Structures are given as C-alpha cells and as structure tokens.
C-alpha cells in the first residue's frame, strides 16, 4: 500500500490554518488581558497601579511581548551599535588610559591609600570608564538618547493600545529633540558633578585620616565606607535622571524642571528605583565581564569562538539596556499613579497632542 505524498486534503489544511489563526488571536487577547490587569484606560489618560520592582519587571516583559517587533527594531538599529562600540572600546586610546591610571594612583598614594591590587584595579577601571564615556558621548547623545525616546514612545503606545507609528515618532522627535537633549545634558552634568564631588571628598577625607596618624588599613576601610555611601547617593541621582528623561518625552517640561519633577514623583518609591538600578547594573556588569574574558582576553582555544561570542554578547548587552529603559518608563507610570498629584490636571502626556498634529498634517 502506498501513501500519497500530497499530504492533507485542502479541507484539512484550511482547518489547520484557521486553528493557527485562532491561536494567534487567542495569544493576542491573552496579552491584552494581562495588560488590562494593571492598566485602566480613559479617554486620553491611563493609570498604572503602584508596583514593586518584580511587578515592574513582569509588566515590562508583558509590554515586550505585546509590541515585540517595535522593541526588537529599536534594539538592533539604535542600541546595538552603541553597545558594540562601548564593549569593544574601539574608540579608547590605551595610552591615555594608562597615563590617567598612573595619575590616579599617584593621587591615591599621596592621600594615604596604599597601592594594593584593589586600588590599582579601581584606578584603571575608573580611568577606562572616564575615557570611554568621553569618547562615546556623541553616540550617547544621539543614538542612545533616540533609543530611550523610542522606548518611552513604544511603552506609551502599548498602554494606549496603539501600534508604533514611525511617522508620528519622527514628528515628536523633530519637535522636541532640543527639549530631550537639554534634559540629557542636565543628567550628564549631575552625573559628572556627583563623581567629581565624590573624588574630591574621598581624597580630602583619606588625607585627613593619614595626617591624623591612622594606619593604611583604617584608611582603606574608611574609603570603602565612603564609597558605599556614595553608591547609594549616586544610584538615586541616576534614578532621578532616568525618570527625568521619561518625563521630558511624556510631559511638557525639560531640563531642570524635569529633574525637579522627577525628584518629586519618585518620593516613596525610591527603594523600587534602587532595586531596578541594582538589577540593571549587575546585568550590564555581568555581560561586560563576559565580553572582557571571552572576547578581549584570549584565555582558551585559538580564539575562533570570538566570531560568534562577540556579536552574541553585544546583543545580550543591548537587551539589558532595552529592558532597563522599558523599566524606567513603566516605573514612571507607576510613580505617577501612586503620587498624590492629580494626574489628569497636571503632567498630561503630550504624545496624544503630537499624534493629532501629525494626523492634521497628513502623516499617517
């Protein structure tokens, strides 16, 4: 007996296609119901219930599943190029890093810190970060800032049950690019100011302990305590800056006003922001460590695995950056809903206005 290779009959194939279509529709409806569990919609505004860090992560994954193609395009076109340049340090001059590391070690030695391996590694790492940030700043102020704006816009579209519209997004960027860039420059200024104040205070504090006759071990432990306190302060500053960038996209404020609004809106939610920042920092540091060990440093084999491990780690790093930006946007909506301010009368989203303006100009 021979069995025909023609497969199923046209009727069976039609039933199979209908079943696949119904499964896709059912999955779409499930995702919408999951978003509806947390999101309440009105005519133009929507409100997100207050969430902890784990709830924000779950909500972020739901949004990623609901509007996956938009976020994948954002990650590959805008975030991956920045991640590749940042991880590879292709723009960093090693001679400059070496000179800066030597100067930092001299400052540490004159301030009373013993030049142990931990101090030397910290100086080298700090020098690499400073030079890399300075060289990559044009990419940060263009592609990375544009990616954050696109992520915030995509989250806003998801909550309003709309698809990502590239034409309307271009109108928003063209109209408010200066406003977003102003907020980003304020964020950079605050970051550099915090780091500068920490370095000056650390050198003065360690020098004072050394003059008072404390042993080098005590000076090191005191420096570690100062660094721990600064880490918490610095994390709060980064959280305020991240939320301010979201505010500059969704609200009609920018610069110092966005920073002030951000510091007000996150009151009572600082612990959630710290957990988000901690998780993102650990994820980025983990991928950076893998790239350093598996790609930059040839510690095994003949190095042929670099051809696929390098791009894979760049994609992983870009995904972590994408999730961090999405969580910042979701955290903003959570903070705004839990804030005592009336969200309907103050801080309204400007994206609906821009969408209407785009439709008026005939951009669909």
């Amino acid at each position: 007996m021979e069995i025909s290779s023609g497969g199923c009959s046209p009727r069976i194939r039609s039933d199979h296609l209908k079943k696949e279509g119904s499964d896709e529709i059912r999955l779409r409806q499930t995702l919408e119901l999951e978003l509806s569990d947390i999101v309440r919609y009105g005519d133009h505004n929507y409100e997100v219930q207050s969430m902890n860090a784990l709830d924000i992560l779950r909500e972020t994954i739901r949004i990623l599943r609901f509007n996956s193609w938009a976020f994948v395009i954002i990650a590959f076109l805008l975030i991956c190029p920045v991640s590749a340049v940042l991880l590879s340090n292709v723009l960093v001059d090693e001679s400059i890093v070496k000179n800066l590391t030597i100067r930092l070690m001299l400052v540490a030695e004159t301030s009373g810190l013993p030049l142990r391996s931990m101090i030397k590694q910290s100086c080298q790492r700090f020098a690499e970060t400073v030079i890399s940030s300075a060289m990559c700043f044009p990419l940060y102020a263009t592609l990375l800032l544009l990616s954050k704006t696109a992520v915030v816009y995509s989250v806003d579209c998801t909550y309003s049950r709309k698809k990502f519209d590239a034409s309307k997004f271009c109108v928003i960027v063209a109209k408010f690019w200066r406003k977003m860039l102003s907020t980003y420059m304020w964020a950079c200024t605050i970051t550099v100011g915090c780091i500068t104040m920490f370095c000056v205070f650390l050198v003065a504090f360690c020098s004072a302990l050394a003059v008072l006759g404390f042993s080098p071990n005590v000076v090191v432990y005191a420096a570690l305590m100062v660094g721990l306190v600064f880490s918490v302060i610095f994390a709060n500053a980064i959280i305020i800056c991240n939320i301010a960038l979201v505010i500059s996209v969704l609200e009609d404020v920018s610069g110092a006003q966005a920073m002030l609004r951000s510091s007000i809106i996150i009151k009572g939610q600082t612990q959630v922001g710290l957990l988000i920042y901690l998780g993102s920092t650990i994820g980025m540091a983990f991928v950076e460590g893998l790239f350093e060990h598996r790609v930059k440093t040839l510690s095994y084999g003949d190095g042929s695995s670099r051809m696929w491990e390098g791009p894979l780690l760049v994609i992983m790093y870009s995904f972590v950056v994408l999730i961090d930006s999405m969580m910042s946007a979701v955290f903003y909506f959570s903070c705004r809903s839990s804030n005592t301010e009336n969200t309907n009368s103050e801080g309204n989203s400007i994206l609906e206005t821009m969408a209407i303006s785009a439709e008026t100009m005939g951009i669909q």
Side-chain angles (χ1 to χ4, degrees), residues 328-344:
S328 295
V330 176
F331 182 50
Y332 160 78
F333 288 115
S334 175
C335 291
R336 193 179 69 172
S337 67
S338 62
N339 199 271
T340 56
E341 298 175 354
N342 187 355
T343 57
N344 292 325

Side-chain angles (χ1 to χ4, degrees), residues 51-167:
M51 295 178 283
N52 57 35
L54 185 58
D55 291 335
I56 289 176
L57 179 59
R58 291 171 179 167
E59 176 73 353
T60 301
I61 299 302
R62 291 171 183 170
I63 294 173
L64 182 62
R65 293 168 58 194
F66 186 82
N67 204 3
S68 58
W69 278 110
F71 293 111
V72 168
I73 293 173
I74 292 170
F76 274 94
L77 293 183
L78 300 177
I79 303 179
C80 278
V82 181
S83 300
V85 173
L86 179 64
L87 291 176
S88 62
N89 284 337
V90 67
L91 300 179
V92 176
D93 190 348
E94 292 297 331
S95 62
I96 300 177
V97 173
K98 185 177 180 180
N99 292 332
L100 183 57
T101 302
I102 293 174
R103 291 178 181 273
L104 289 174
M105 288 192 295
L106 289 175
V107 172
E109 186 177 14
T110 56
S111 63
L113 289 170
L115 291 182
R116 299 175 180 174
S117 59
M118 180 185 68
I119 303 298
K120 294 179 180 179
Q121 291 177 2
S122 299
C123 292
Q124 182 179 1
R125 181 61 179 170
F126 182 76
E128 290 177 353
T129 303
V130 170
I131 300 301
S132 177
S133 299
M135 300 304 296
C136 295
F137 179 77
L139 292 176
Y140 292 159
T142 52
L143 290 180
L144 193 60
L145 181 58
L146 191 62
S147 71
K148 290 180 180 294
T149 306
V151 166
V152 174
Y153 175 70
S154 300
V155 173
D156 184 82
C157 289
T158 303
Y159 277 147
S160 56
R161 295 177 184 249
K162 296 178 181 178
K163 289 295 184 181
F164 184 93
D165 193 323
S167 60

